[in-house]
Amino acid sequence: MSVLVTLKINGDTDRFRRFLGSDPDRFAALAPEARAAGCVHHRFGVGDGFVLVIDEWESADAFQTFFQTNEKIPAIMRDAGASQEEPEISFTEAIDSPDQF
Protein backbone atom coordinates (compact mmCIF):
# COMPACT_ATOMS: atom_id res chain seq x y z
CA MET A 1 0.00 0.00 0.00
CA SER A 2 1.50 3.35 -1.03
CA VAL A 3 1.49 6.67 0.82
CA LEU A 4 0.96 10.23 -0.28
CA VAL A 5 3.64 12.58 1.00
CA THR A 6 3.28 16.34 1.09
CA LEU A 7 6.04 18.75 1.98
CA LYS A 8 5.29 22.41 2.55
CA ILE A 9 8.55 24.30 2.14
CA ASN A 10 8.53 28.00 2.99
CA GLY A 11 10.78 30.20 0.92
CA ASP A 12 11.28 32.54 -2.01
CA THR A 13 8.93 31.22 -4.69
CA ASP A 14 10.21 33.63 -7.36
CA ARG A 15 13.71 32.27 -6.80
CA PHE A 16 12.31 28.73 -6.98
CA ARG A 17 10.67 29.42 -10.34
CA ARG A 18 13.87 30.99 -11.70
CA PHE A 19 15.91 28.04 -10.45
CA LEU A 20 13.59 25.54 -12.15
CA GLY A 21 14.14 27.34 -15.44
CA SER A 22 17.86 27.99 -15.07
CA ASP A 23 19.03 24.64 -13.71
CA PRO A 24 16.43 21.99 -14.58
CA ASP A 25 19.03 19.24 -14.83
CA ARG A 26 19.64 19.32 -11.07
CA PHE A 27 15.98 18.49 -10.47
CA ALA A 28 15.81 15.99 -13.32
CA ALA A 29 18.85 14.12 -11.98
CA LEU A 30 16.93 13.30 -8.79
CA ALA A 31 14.06 11.59 -10.61
CA PRO A 32 15.76 8.26 -11.39
CA GLU A 33 17.23 8.16 -7.89
CA ALA A 34 13.81 8.80 -6.32
CA ARG A 35 12.14 6.17 -8.52
CA ALA A 36 14.79 3.62 -7.56
CA ALA A 37 14.18 4.47 -3.89
CA GLY A 38 10.41 3.95 -4.15
CA CYS A 39 8.85 7.16 -5.50
CA VAL A 40 5.84 6.52 -7.75
CA HIS A 41 4.73 10.09 -8.59
CA HIS A 42 6.17 13.56 -7.99
CA ARG A 43 4.76 17.06 -8.50
CA PHE A 44 5.41 20.65 -7.33
CA GLY A 45 2.90 23.38 -6.56
CA VAL A 46 3.65 27.01 -5.71
CA GLY A 47 1.67 28.98 -3.15
CA ASP A 48 2.05 32.34 -1.46
CA GLY A 49 5.53 32.07 0.05
CA PHE A 50 5.81 28.29 -0.12
CA VAL A 51 6.41 25.36 -2.44
CA LEU A 52 4.29 22.26 -2.03
CA VAL A 53 5.76 18.89 -2.98
CA ILE A 54 3.17 16.19 -3.64
CA ASP A 55 4.57 12.68 -3.98
CA GLU A 56 3.39 9.11 -3.89
CA TRP A 57 5.87 6.67 -2.36
CA GLU A 58 5.88 2.93 -1.79
CA SER A 59 6.16 3.64 1.95
CA ALA A 60 6.81 6.44 4.42
CA ASP A 61 10.07 4.76 5.37
CA ALA A 62 11.24 4.76 1.75
CA PHE A 63 10.57 8.49 1.51
CA GLN A 64 12.21 9.28 4.86
CA THR A 65 15.33 7.31 3.96
CA PHE A 66 15.64 9.02 0.58
CA PHE A 67 14.93 12.51 1.93
CA GLN A 68 17.32 12.18 4.86
CA THR A 69 20.21 10.48 3.07
CA ASN A 70 20.30 11.98 -0.42
CA GLU A 71 23.12 14.50 -0.36
CA LYS A 72 21.76 16.54 -3.31
CA ILE A 73 18.48 17.56 -1.67
CA PRO A 74 19.76 20.08 0.92
CA ALA A 75 21.85 21.90 -1.69
CA ILE A 76 19.00 22.04 -4.19
CA MET A 77 16.59 23.31 -1.53
CA ARG A 78 19.05 26.00 -0.46
CA ASP A 79 19.83 27.10 -4.03
CA ALA A 80 16.13 27.09 -4.95
CA GLY A 81 15.27 29.56 -2.17
CA ALA A 82 13.95 27.31 0.61
CA SER A 83 13.95 28.83 4.07
CA GLN A 84 16.23 27.46 6.78
CA GLU A 85 13.31 25.97 8.73
CA GLU A 86 12.36 22.33 8.40
CA PRO A 87 9.61 21.59 5.86
CA GLU A 88 6.19 20.55 7.12
CA ILE A 89 5.83 16.89 6.09
CA SER A 90 2.59 14.89 6.10
CA PHE A 91 1.96 11.25 5.27
CA THR A 92 -1.41 9.82 4.31
CA GLU A 93 -2.51 6.41 3.11
CA ALA A 94 -3.18 6.45 -0.63
CA ILE A 95 -6.62 4.99 -1.28
CA ASP A 96 -8.57 4.24 -4.44
CA SER A 97 -11.82 6.08 -5.04
CA PRO A 98 -14.50 5.99 -7.78
CA ASP A 99 -13.63 9.51 -8.94
CA GLN A 100 -9.87 8.90 -9.21
CA PHE A 101 -8.14 9.76 -12.47
Side-chain angles (χ1 to χ4, degrees):
M1 182 177 312
S2 64
V3 297
L4 300 180
V5 183
T6 58
L7 288 85
K8 184 178 179 185
I9 304 167
N10 293 323
D12 183 339
T13 56
D14 290 333
R15 184 172 167 186
F16 174 75
R17 288 176 189 270
R18 286 191 307 273
F19 189 70
L20 279 177
S22 68
D23 205 353
D25 293 341
R26 283 182 68 189
F27 286 94
L30 283 175
E33 295 175 26
R35 284 187 188 110
C39 188
V40 179
H41 297 286
H42 169 75
R43 192 78 194 257
F44 284 118
V46 175
D48 186 16
F50 68 92
V51 172
L52 187 65
V53 180
I54 305 165
D55 284 357
E56 182 177 358
W57 280 78
E58 292 174 358
S59 70
D61 288 340
F63 167 80
Q64 290 283 35
T65 299
F66 179 77
F67 189 72
Q68 293 172 356
T69 62
N70 187 289
E71 297 175 3
K72 297 175 187 173
I73 293 173
I76 287 174
M77 288 177 63
R78 179 195 63 237
D79 295 347
S83 72
Q84 297 278 332
E85 64 195 77
E86 289 293 316
E88 182 182 316
I89 302 174
S90 298
F91 297 96
T92 59
E93 176 185 351
I95 61 169
D96 290 327
S97 65
D99 61 342
Q100 183 174 324
F101 60 91

